[in-house]
Amino acid sequence: MQNKFVQKGISEIQKYAKALLGNKNYVQKKLAQDPNYFTKLAQGQSPKYLLIGCSDSRAPPNELTETDPGEIFIHRNIANVVNMTDLNLNCVIQYAVEHLKVHNIIIMGHTYCGGVKAAMQQDSVGGLLDLWLNNIKHVYEKNQHLVNQFENENDRVACLSSLNVREQVLNMWKNPIVQKSWEVGHPVMVHGWLFRVETGYIEELQLDENIPESLSDVFRLHFKSAQQTAQGQQSKQNDDQLALPSLNSQKFQQMQSKLVTEFRKYSNHSQDCNHEMVNQISGILQNDPNFKKENK
C-alpha cells in the first residue's frame, strides 16, 4: 500500500513538473521569435474583447482563437454563467468596460459541458455546486420542450449549452455596468459563441439584434450624470447642457450587423483581412444612410 502511495505521488509530481518545463519551452520559443516579446508585454495591456467562458480545460480562449496574451480579457467559471450577484464577475466586467474600454463582450459556452449536463439531472453534485447549477436549471426549466426533443444525450447537452449562452447574453444586457456604458457614450456589444469540442470550431450564435431595445422596463435603468448627482437641484436646462449625448443603440446594432455581414461576404473570397477589404467595407458603410446620419 505504501509503495503504491509513493508511486502515485511521484507520478503526480512529474505531471506538475511538466507544466513548469512547458513554461520554459514557451519562453524560449517566444524569445526566438522576438527577443523583446516579454519586454513589450510588460508595458501594458489593451484587449479588444472581454470573454466570459467555461472553466473546462478543453476550452482555452487564446488557443482556440489564435490570440496572444494581452488581446482578450478573460473570466471563466463553471458553465459560463453571468450571475448578477457574482462580485468577482462584476468586478471583471467593470474593469474591462470602464478602464480597459473594451467594446465587445463574448459569452462562450461549449458542447460536452459537464456543468450543463449535471444541471439536467436530479442527482445532487454537492454543496455549492448545486447552488451554482441552479442558474442553468432555470434555463432548462424554461426550455425543456426544446432540449428533450433530442434522443441523444450529447445533443441535448449541446442544445442546452446553446440556450444557456443566449440566456447569459441576455443577463449581460441587463447588467447595470453594460447599460451605463451606452449612456456615457461607450457602446458595448454582446456576442454569443458555442465552441464545438468535437470539431474544434466556434459557432457564432445568431442573436436578436433588438435585445437592448426590447429589454423589459423592469430591467431598464436610467442613470444620473456625475454633475446631476452633485447638483440635484439644477434646472432642466442646465441638466441638458451637462448630460452626455445619448446613443441610439438600435441603429448602432444595425450598423454592427451590417459590418459583420459585409466582412463575411468579403472574407469568403480571401484568407486575410487586408487593407483592400477594409477599404471596401468602409466605403459601403460610409454610403449607408444610417451611418451618415449617426456621424453628422
Side-chain angles (χ1 to χ4, degrees), residues 106-139:
I106 301 164
I107 312 297
M108 186 178 80
H110 65 96
T111 55
Y112 295 88
C113 180
V116 170
K117 181 178 179 180
M120 297 169 62
Q121 301 170 355
Q122 291 182 294
D123 294 334
S124 169
V125 290
L128 294 176
L129 286 173
D130 285 328
L131 293 175
W132 185 260
L133 293 179
N134 274 337
N135 293 288
I136 309 163
K137 284 182 177 291
H138 287 306
V139 182

Side-chain angles (χ1 to χ4, degrees), residues 241-287:
Q241 292 174 349
L242 292 170
L244 290 165
S246 62
L247 293 175
N248 188 318
S249 59
Q250 186 173 14
K251 287 185 178 179
F252 187 90
Q253 282 272 40
Q254 292 171 348
M255 289 167 56
Q256 174 86 357
S257 178
K258 187 174 181 64
L259 175 61
V260 171
T261 300
E262 295 298 334
F263 178 79
R264 286 174 178 163
K265 184 189 302 181
Y266 283 98
S267 62
N268 285 337
H269 304 288
S270 173
Q271 294 294 324
D272 301 313
C273 182
N274 52 40
H275 290 295
E276 181 182 356
M277 182 190 300
V278 172
N279 290 335
Q280 287 175 316
I281 296 174
S282 297
I284 291 172
L285 285 179
Q286 288 171 6
N287 291 325

Side-chain angles (χ1 to χ4, degrees), residues 14-49:
Q14 289 174 336
K15 294 176 184 177
Y16 169 76
K18 182 181 178 182
L20 292 175
L21 179 61
N23 171 252
K24 293 180 180 179
N25 293 335
Y26 164 77
V27 171
Q28 291 173 359
K29 288 179 181 178
K30 286 296 184 182
L31 292 178
Q33 296 170 358
D34 181 0
N36 297 316
Y37 178 81
F38 292 104
T39 302
K40 296 175 183 176
L41 194 63
Q43 293 175 358
Q45 62 171 331
S46 56
K48 305 304 179 186
Y49 325 94

Side-chain angles (χ1 to χ4, degrees), residues 48-290:
K48 305 304 179 186
Y49 325 94
L50 164 62
L51 187 143
I52 312 298
C54 180
S55 299
D56 194 298
S57 59
R58 298 167 295 178
N62 284 111
E63 186 171 349
L64 296 178
T65 56
E66 282 197 337
T67 49
D68 289 323
E71 293 189 62
I72 305 181
F73 200 59
I74 299 171
H75 177 86
R76 300 172 73 177
N77 59 44
I78 293 177
N80 44 274
V81 170
V82 178
N83 189 314
M84 291 295 185
T85 60
D86 185 343
L87 295 181
N88 189 338
L89 170 64
N90 281 293
C91 286
V92 169
I93 296 171
Q94 183 173 8
Y95 187 73
V97 173
E98 297 183 3
H99 296 273
L100 296 177
K101 302 298 182 183
V102 302
H103 282 279
N104 291 280
I105 298 177
I106 301 164
I107 312 297
M108 186 178 80
H110 65 96
T111 55
Y112 295 88
C113 180
V116 170
K117 181 178 179 180
M120 297 169 62
Q121 301 170 355
Q122 291 182 294
D123 294 334
S124 169
V125 290
L128 294 176
L129 286 173
D130 285 328
L131 293 175
W132 185 260
L133 293 179
N134 274 337
N135 293 288
I136 309 163
K137 284 182 177 291
H138 287 306
V139 182
Y140 182 42
E141 182 183 34
K142 291 191 299 183
N143 297 281
Q144 287 187 72
H145 63 291
L146 295 175
V147 177
N148 293 338
Q149 66 180 327
F150 296 97
E151 294 183 5
N152 183 277
E153 182 181 53
N154 292 332
D155 292 337
R156 291 196 296 273
V157 172
C159 179
L160 184 54
S161 294
S162 176
L163 292 168
N164 181 50
V165 169
R166 295 174 186 276
E167 186 74 15
Q168 306 315 320
V169 166
L170 183 59
N171 286 342
M172 185 63 75
W173 278 117
K174 295 175 183 176
N175 189 287
I177 300 166
V178 173
Q179 290 192 41
K180 186 178 180 181
S181 72
W182 286 85
E183 292 284 335
V184 300
H186 180 78
V188 172
M189 303 304 302
V190 186
H191 312 271
W193 287 1
L194 183 69
F195 167 56
R196 292 197 170 273
V197 176
E198 66 275 22
T199 66
Y201 285 105
I202 290 174
E203 176 185 339
E204 184 182 20
L205 302 182
Q206 299 301 312
L207 305 172
D208 183 0
E209 294 182 0
N210 298 316
I211 288 179
E213 294 293 329
S214 61
L215 271 184
S216 167
D217 289 340
V218 173
F219 296 103
R220 192 181 300 278
L221 301 174
H222 300 285
F223 300 89
K224 291 182 179 180
S225 67
Q227 294 92 337
Q228 287 174 316
T229 302
Q231 305 174 27
Q233 302 302 319
Q234 285 184 324
S235 66
K236 185 178 184 302
Q237 180 180 0
N238 288 337
D239 286 342
D240 290 340
Q241 292 174 349
L242 292 170
L244 290 165
S246 62
L247 293 175
N248 188 318
S249 59
Q250 186 173 14
K251 287 185 178 179
F252 187 90
Q253 282 272 40
Q254 292 171 348
M255 289 167 56
Q256 174 86 357
S257 178
K258 187 174 181 64
L259 175 61
V260 171
T261 300
E262 295 298 334
F263 178 79
R264 286 174 178 163
K265 184 189 302 181
Y266 283 98
S267 62
N268 285 337
H269 304 288
S270 173
Q271 294 294 324
D272 301 313
C273 182
N274 52 40
H275 290 295
E276 181 182 356
M277 182 190 300
V278 172
N279 290 335
Q280 287 175 316
I281 296 174
S282 297
I284 291 172
L285 285 179
Q286 288 171 6
N287 291 325
D288 185 275
N290 288 328

